[in-house]
Amino acid sequence: MSDKKEKIVAIKGMNDILPADAPLWELFENTAESVLKSYGYQKIVTPIVEETGLFARAIGAVTDIVEKEMYSFTDSMNGDQLTLRPEGTAGVVRAVVEHNMAYDGPKRLWYKGPMFRHERPQRGRYRQFFQFGAEAIGFSGPDIDAELIMLCRRLWDDLGLDEIRLELNSIGNAEERQRHRADLIAYFEANIDVLDAEAKRRLHANPLRILDTKNPAMQDLVNAAPKLLDYLGEESLAHFNGLKQILDANNVQYTVNPRLVRGLDYYNRTVFEWVTDALGAQGTVCAGGRYDPLIETFGGKPTPGIGFAMGIERLIELMKAQGEPAEPSQCDVYMVHQGDEARMKAFILAERIRDAGLDVVLHCATPAGAGSFKSQMKKADGSGAAFAVILGEDEVANGTVAIKALREADAAAQQNTVAFDEAVDYLVDQIVSGHDHDHGHDHEHVHYHP
Ligand code: ATP
Ligand code: MG
């Protein structure tokens, strides 16, 4: 009877992150978290599923995301309309209002996690992708805008990424955008034959977004369109100039891009993007902006906000191309054993070695069997471990273990017999006291409990 099953594969546009790439992801996440921490930002985790209405309100109805990219579904148990989050700001702002977090002073927050958008999958554009983001809630001045931008710069530096440039703009406030919008609509109406179908559809709903078009046939038209920057009032200009002053004083390079707008309705004043040419068409690795009017629309008291989100896949690709290589994860010790009694002892010793803070891989049986001594030693070599700890019948009989250094040049000669009860001390001494200079781990936190 043949019961060959059809293979199930991952959903289109949703990727597995395999162990080979995991060290790079860990390097990114650890570096980003420590940079955020060094600026006083605290972690927040919100649910991946939210009420559909949250996103329509936070992102705006006439946006790519809400119009056509959301994974929305009806909860079959109770009929609720739910959506897999397409971005992080909506959930964070909901949580801030729901828990009255902004009432006892401003908050610096960061988050990371998967986001979902039903887009056409291509290089750098997926249906599940990961973002790392920050939100600063309750700060109104340009200083926090500069801080967010500068912590991004620090992250690129720490990751060894140097081909990312900053584009900056101010989109003013609602009233300034209203005046610009009227002129913009009149301008586009006068050139209606150049607009594509999407632009025509957006002309009255969200004309600002037309400036964002990727259609080459419309580039000349949008380049010559009325510039929002020319409509900024005194306060918006002062905010923008204040930001540029701080950036200049701290040697942050940027170009002002008057066409840079955020597709989202509730953004105001500062908008910025970090862009690279090294990734092809999807070159924006981080996008951010101020959203002062948003929190009020959630029923909170008026509270300013600003944040950014980074696309982690794009940054990982950039790290592969030009960043610091990540250390493959390796263990300290591989336990080799022969015979039932030795296996029992190996378990006990492996736990003790882990108690002392070291990483141990214990050889375990496979369908091919427990494995000969020779094949286990091969596995030990391949594991990248610094030491093999060997327990055979002789060692069990003598109350000893054999410990073999695997990474010394003269590894063949480096095998010692140590009393079973002294094995932990011996390994800690060898590994922690620097006999193993090229070892990738940080053993600062090793605690040895005798
Ligand atoms: P675009 O105009 O390219 O669609 P966006 O305005 O939709 O970008 P944001 O919502 O600002 O993008 O998201 C912030 C960052 O998240 C982007 O700059 C990018 O790095 C990343 N990102 C957005 N969508 C995707 C996706 N589908 N796949 C991978 N990364 C993404
Ligand atoms: Mg998009």
Side-chain angles (χ1 to χ4, degrees):
M1 191 178 74
S2 152
D3 60 23
K4 213 168 167 191
K5 302 277 197 309
E6 217 178 292
K7 252 193 221 153
I8 295 180
V9 299
I11 292 166
K12 194 175 165 203
M14 304 202 181
N15 303 312
D16 299 309
I17 299 159
L18 301 177
D21 273 347
L24 216 49
W25 280 73
E26 267 172 31
L27 177 63
F28 175 82
E29 290 177 26
N30 294 341
T31 310
E33 286 171 27
S34 77
V35 168
L36 266 299
K37 190 167 169 286
S38 77
Y39 286 79
Y41 286 69
Q42 295 179 305
K43 181 175 183 170
I44 183 166
V45 181
T46 64
I48 288 173
V49 179
E50 300 265 9
E51 259 179 44
T52 300
L54 171 71
F55 301 109
R57 197 189 295 181
I59 300 171
V62 191
T63 53
D64 280 351
I65 292 178
V66 173
E67 276 184 336
K68 54 189 186 193
E69 293 174 0
M70 294 208 301
Y71 279 93
S72 298
F73 57 97
T74 305
D75 184 333
S76 59
M77 300 296 169
N78 58 12
D80 286 353
Q81 298 299 309
L82 305 177
T83 293
L84 301 183
R85 65 180 181 198
E87 54 91 60
T89 304
V92 170
V93 166
R94 177 201 49 70
V96 164
V97 173
E98 184 171 335
H99 304 288
N100 292 321
M101 284 171 63
Y103 281 75
D104 61 347
K107 292 284 175 292
R108 289 176 164 91
L109 305 168
W110 69 265
Y111 63 86
K112 66 174 177 185
M115 306 295 162
F116 302 84
R117 297 184 195 178
H118 202 283
E119 310 196 60
R120 191 170 69 76
Q122 53 194 290
R123 182 183 176 197
R125 195 176 285 288
Y126 310 106
R127 290 180 173 174
Q128 177 184 267
F129 60 98
F130 286 77
Q131 283 186 337
F132 197 103
E135 314 289 353
I137 312 283
F139 301 95
S140 53
D143 37 10
I144 197 81
D145 307 24
E147 174 179 291
L148 283 167
I149 287 170
M150 286 167 61
L151 75 79
C152 291
R153 177 180 67 167
R154 180 173 296 277
L155 178 57
W156 316 145
D157 284 351
D158 286 358
L159 292 171
L161 304 176
D162 55 11
E163 281 177 44
I164 308 179
R165 60 173 192 278
L166 174 62
E167 299 199 353
L168 195 62
N169 193 21
S170 172
I171 57 171
N173 62 27
E175 188 198 315
E176 290 150 8
R177 277 202 302 280
Q178 200 55 46
R179 285 193 288 118
H180 170 254
R181 180 194 154 103
D183 288 359
L184 195 61
I185 291 175
Y187 170 81
F188 282 135
E189 274 175 341
N191 294 280
I192 193 90
D193 44 314
V194 189
L195 298 187
D196 60 19
E198 192 180 40
K200 277 183 191 141
R201 198 166 44 76
R202 285 189 165 153
L203 180 54
H204 291 277
N206 195 351
L208 204 56
R209 192 70 216 237
I210 300 176
L211 298 175
D212 219 10
T213 179
K214 284 161 185 133
N215 181 352
M218 288 172 55
Q219 295 307 306
D220 287 345
L221 182 72
V222 294
N223 279 331
K227 292 187 178 35
L228 189 40
L229 268 182
D230 297 330
Y231 291 75
L232 297 194
E234 225 171 277
E235 278 183 41
S236 293
L237 267 182
H239 188 100
F240 194 41
N241 289 333
L243 169 60
K244 289 192 288 186
Q245 263 169 23
I246 301 173
L247 296 179
D248 292 339
N250 287 282
N251 250 325
V252 181
Q253 314 289 314
Y254 56 84
T255 44
V256 174
N257 176 358
R259 278 186 49 198
L260 185 64
V261 294
R262 301 290 298 150
L264 320 188
D265 282 358
Y266 294 103
Y267 276 80
N268 70 324
R269 292 195 176 165
T270 309
V271 293
F272 62 91
E273 283 189 0
W274 290 94
V275 187
T276 178
D277 294 322
L279 294 178
Q282 316 308 330
T284 304
V285 293
C286 175
R290 186 167 269 287
Y291 47 80
D292 296 335
L294 181 60
I295 292 180
E296 217 179 333
T297 72
F298 279 83
K301 68 171 186 191
T303 308
I306 177 169
F308 65 70
M310 300 174 176
I312 303 185
E313 283 83 356
R314 295 181 191 181
L315 285 160
I316 297 288
E317 209 187 325
L318 203 56
M319 287 165 73
K320 281 186 184 166
Q322 51 163 247
E324 304 285 330
E327 289 271 353
S329 63
Q330 293 173 330
C331 62
D332 299 306
V333 174
Y334 194 97
M335 302 279 299
V336 171
H337 50 84
Q338 284 283 286
D340 284 346
E341 220 180 319
R343 180 167 57 97
M344 299 309 267
K345 291 240 166 205
F347 259 90
I348 289 163
L349 184 54
E351 287 299 308
R352 287 196 201 162
I353 300 170
R354 293 186 189 109
D355 286 343
L358 301 181
D359 303 336
V360 184
V361 172
L362 176 73
H363 186 84
C364 285
T366 66
S372 67
F373 177 74
K374 205 173 145 203
S375 81
Q376 290 192 35
M377 282 309 290
K378 253 197 193 156
K379 291 246 162 53
D381 275 322
S383 73
F387 290 91
V389 170
I390 302 154
L391 275 148
E393 275 171 30
D394 289 351
E395 283 79 12
V396 171
N398 298 332
T400 60
V401 298
I403 298 181
K404 186 175 181 194
L406 298 174
R407 288 199 234 141
E408 310 289 328
D410 57 347
Q414 276 277 330
Q415 179 162 328
N416 289 309
T417 301
V418 179
F420 185 88
D421 287 332
E422 276 155 31
V424 176
D425 270 339
Y426 178 90
L427 288 164
V428 167
D429 185 54
Q430 292 286 309
I431 291 172
V432 180
S433 64
H435 285 234
D436 181 38
H437 292 297
D438 58 349
H439 195 64
H441 299 278
D442 166 11
H443 278 296
E444 260 181 317
H445 303 297
V446 170
H447 301 293
Y448 174 46
H449 316 287

